[in-house]
Amino acid sequence: MSEFIITTDENVYIPAEDSYLLAENLEIEAGQSVLEIGTGSGIVAMYASRLTDNITVTDINFDACELAQKNFKANGIENIEILFGNLFEPVKSRKFDVILFNTPYLPTENDEVIEDNLNYAFDGGLNGRKVIDLFLNEVPNHLNDGGIVQLIQSSLSDNGKTLDMLDELGFIAEIAASEHYFFEDITLINGYKI
């Protein structure tokens, strides 16, 4: 599935269908600045590195930051800045042309919460939107005019609400790609900042 060398870690999300749905549909032009939130293993950023050399990644899971660094090094990629922290906190007031996020979109009951760092990759709260809504409310502050946000979520976490929120925040939004699995559709939503 991937042409990259990928090491995995039990505490970090292992690249899956949603990772590749984003990685294979990137809308990045040469020279653009890219921010990926929640980089995990770093697979999406590695695909992005073929399109531009101005990439910053963040993750709230320190194990993920270390793993991404290891994977970048194994693939000879040296131009990705890795920052530890939650959502946009590590980039302060910086702005980017493209923002990517494979969100933690699974609706999660309290008894389904995992007691380790891997939980950050999945736990979307009761309605699957705990992190998505925080992210969307912040995204306009970090995206250049004419920029794009590309995010992955599930039909279980209300695609319509994401499209409506992006619309209210001044984006033109669409479902750009989707794949059906068992009881849900995994969707890629693109928001273009006007």
Side-chain angles (χ1 to χ4, degrees):
M1 234 166 151
S2 168
E3 313 107 70
F4 294 104
I5 301 161
I6 296 286
T7 302
T8 59
D9 180 305
E10 63 182 15
N11 291 321
V12 180
Y13 185 66
I14 295 171
E17 292 86 356
D18 49 4
S19 314
Y20 292 103
L21 184 62
L22 179 54
E24 292 165 3
N25 289 282
L26 295 172
E27 291 196 16
I28 300 168
E29 293 172 19
Q32 285 188 316
S33 56
V34 175
L35 171 65
E36 184 192 11
I37 302 286
T39 196
S41 67
I43 185 64
V44 172
M46 288 192 273
Y47 274 82
S49 73
R50 294 176 167 173
L51 305 171
T52 187
D53 56 8
N54 186 353
I55 302 170
T56 300
V57 299
T58 72
D59 208 295
I60 191 173
N61 177 351
F62 192 74
D63 294 330
C65 293
E66 290 188 322
L67 181 64
Q69 186 168 27
K70 188 186 295 183
N71 282 328
F72 298 157
K73 195 170 191 178
N75 289 279
I77 300 166
E78 298 169 359
N79 58 346
I80 299 177
E81 177 186 28
I82 304 168
L83 300 172
F84 169 65
N86 190 22
L87 295 174
F88 295 100
E89 284 171 3
V91 294
K92 310 279 187 280
S93 57
R94 288 167 59 189
K95 289 194 168 195
F96 301 84
D97 299 314
V98 180
I99 297 177
L100 310 170
F101 191 17
N102 183 359
T103 68
Y105 52 71
L106 286 182
T108 310
E109 300 284 342
N110 290 339
D111 62 350
E112 296 172 314
V113 172
I114 309 168
E115 291 299 323
D116 64 32
N117 282 341
L118 186 60
N119 190 68
Y120 292 124
F122 297 101
D123 186 355
L126 291 175
N127 62 1
R129 299 197 59 84
K130 178 174 77 174
V131 179
I132 293 171
D133 290 346
L134 290 171
F135 169 77
L136 289 174
N137 283 320
E138 281 290 308
V139 102
N141 303 328
H142 297 278
L143 193 62
N144 290 324
D145 290 343
I148 180 176
V149 56
Q150 296 190 277
L151 67 120
I152 295 284
Q153 71 170 74
S154 161
S155 54
L156 299 176
S157 48
D158 196 348
N159 293 325
K161 181 158 188 212
T162 297
L163 293 169
D164 289 345
M165 281 184 74
L166 283 166
D167 188 50
E168 287 163 20
L169 291 165
F171 289 78
I172 295 171
E174 64 179 10
I175 293 178
S178 100
E179 292 180 6
H180 184 71
Y181 297 98
F182 306 113
F183 50 86
E184 65 179 332
D185 291 330
I186 302 298
T187 55
L188 167 63
I189 295 177
N190 287 351
Y192 302 89
K193 190 176 181 188
I194 306 164

